[in-house]
Amino acid sequence: MDWLQIVVLALLQGLTEFLPVSSSAHLILVPALTGWPDQGLAFDVALHFGSLFAVLLYFRRDLISMTTSWGQSLVTRQPNDDARLAWGVLFATIPVGLAGLAFKDQIELYLRSPFYLALGLVIFGLLLGWADWRFRGSRTESQMTWKDVFVIGCAQALALFPGTSRAGITITAALLMGLNREAASRFSFLLSIPVILLACLLKTKDLVEAQVPVDWGSMGLGILVSAISAFLCIHYFLVFIKRIGMQPFVVYRILLGIALLVVFY
């Protein structure tokens, strides 16, 4: 890959991993428009590690507090808000982990096409807009109940369907349960940590087994650009989400879905 392809794909990964717009749709559309070859498994791993590093860095203080409180809750059996949030992230990750193990191969085989990507973009985009308009509440992530965690966790499993967007569906579910925009987004970002980590480990395992030659220079640049763009994306998304709401992302998803159909069909 040349530097332009590396930078563009890393920017896309960093931005779309945390915005409710579906990273998979972008990563299939851009190579089709540019004629670029497939970036390969090693580069995919690098981009995911960049995104993971960004979210760990941005929420480092929260994660330290959550981890400390979680450990204390194992002893005292009296979890505070940070401990409950940590338990919530862990429990909400279980459904997507189970669904991934059960259905990932079938989804990759039968549903990974531009048509289903476009369908997921439009349908779940409209659902996001409806949730933001009709059900958005005022509760924060520290006020979530176990019912909220269960619903959001089950919703996250739907992200296996192409075009859904993991960030999009978890924010949608959180809004439907009455969380405010910032709380829904923050919990979605925290939920991304175990999911991206698991994805990195699985892809790394595949990479080792495939014995693919690695271009360390390309991987290093990809990690750097992905991490920087993801960090900035998280920061500015949380800054502006109260003002702009979710509707611009709904419009963008619909236009992107139409673009996929036009390009491929």
Side-chain angles (χ1 to χ4, degrees):
M1 295 184 293
D2 59 34
W3 69 269
L4 179 61
Q5 183 180 359
I6 293 170
V7 170
V8 170
L9 293 179
L11 281 172
L12 281 176
Q13 170 65 28
L15 294 174
T16 59
E17 182 68 43
F18 299 109
L19 292 179
V21 293
S22 176
S23 59
S24 58
H26 290 80
L27 293 177
I28 192 176
L29 181 61
V30 170
L33 293 175
T34 58
W36 286 338
D38 183 81
Q39 63 269 23
L41 180 60
F43 194 65
D44 282 344
V45 173
L47 297 187
H48 279 84
F49 269 115
S51 299
L52 178 62
F53 179 75
V55 71
L56 288 173
L57 181 63
Y58 190 87
F59 289 103
R60 61 193 182 279
R61 293 186 180 87
D62 302 80
L63 292 171
I64 291 172
S65 180
M66 288 166 59
T67 303
T68 302
S69 297
W70 179 80
Q72 292 173 347
S73 73
L74 293 176
V75 178
T76 64
R77 303 296 177 91
Q78 295 179 336
N80 59 15
D81 287 346
D82 285 332
R84 281 192 291 271
L85 185 57
W87 281 112
V89 170
L90 292 175
F91 284 134
T93 304
I94 294 173
V96 70
L98 295 176
L101 291 174
F103 302 113
K104 183 177 183 297
D105 292 339
Q106 290 85 346
I107 291 172
E108 290 284 349
L109 182 61
Y110 297 111
L111 298 181
R112 190 64 65 181
S113 72
F115 174 77
Y116 288 112
L117 277 169
L119 192 66
L121 280 165
V122 174
I123 291 176
F124 290 104
L126 292 173
L127 182 61
L128 172 63
W130 181 58
D132 186 51
W133 170 67
R134 181 66 178 83
F135 290 94
R136 171 171 45 90
S138 58
R139 291 191 296 133
T140 67
E141 64 270 31
S142 63
Q143 297 173 310
M144 288 191 303
T145 65
W146 291 114
K147 178 183 177 182
D148 300 329
V149 171
F150 176 76
V151 170
I152 297 170
C154 289
Q156 185 172 221
L158 293 175
L160 293 171
F161 186 91
T164 302
S165 167
R166 191 211 59 81
I169 195 63
T170 51
I171 290 174
T172 298
L175 291 172
L176 287 171
M177 300 308 293
L179 271 66
N180 62 46
R181 289 169 177 160
E182 187 176 8
S185 302
R186 284 176 57 86
F187 189 60
S188 173
F189 293 149
L190 291 172
L191 276 181
S192 73
I193 295 172
V195 172
I196 298 176
L197 178 60
L198 290 173
C200 285
L201 293 176
L202 289 174
K203 285 178 176 287
T204 301
K205 174 179 175 292
D206 293 340
L207 181 62
V208 172
E209 292 177 348
Q211 296 182 340
V212 177
V214 175
D215 181 349
W216 293 105
S218 297
M219 288 187 67
L221 179 58
I223 290 173
L224 179 63
V225 175
S226 175
I228 293 174
S229 60
F231 187 92
L232 294 174
C233 172
I234 295 170
H235 175 72
Y236 285 107
F237 185 79
L238 290 174
V239 169
F240 292 114
I241 195 62
K242 292 181 181 179
R243 186 186 310 169
I244 65 175
M246 297 295 170
Q247 304 311 317
F249 299 105
V250 175
V251 174
Y252 180 79
R253 287 177 64 111
I254 294 172
L255 294 177
L256 183 60
I258 293 172
L260 283 170
L261 295 177
V262 170
V263 170
F264 290 97
Y265 298 99

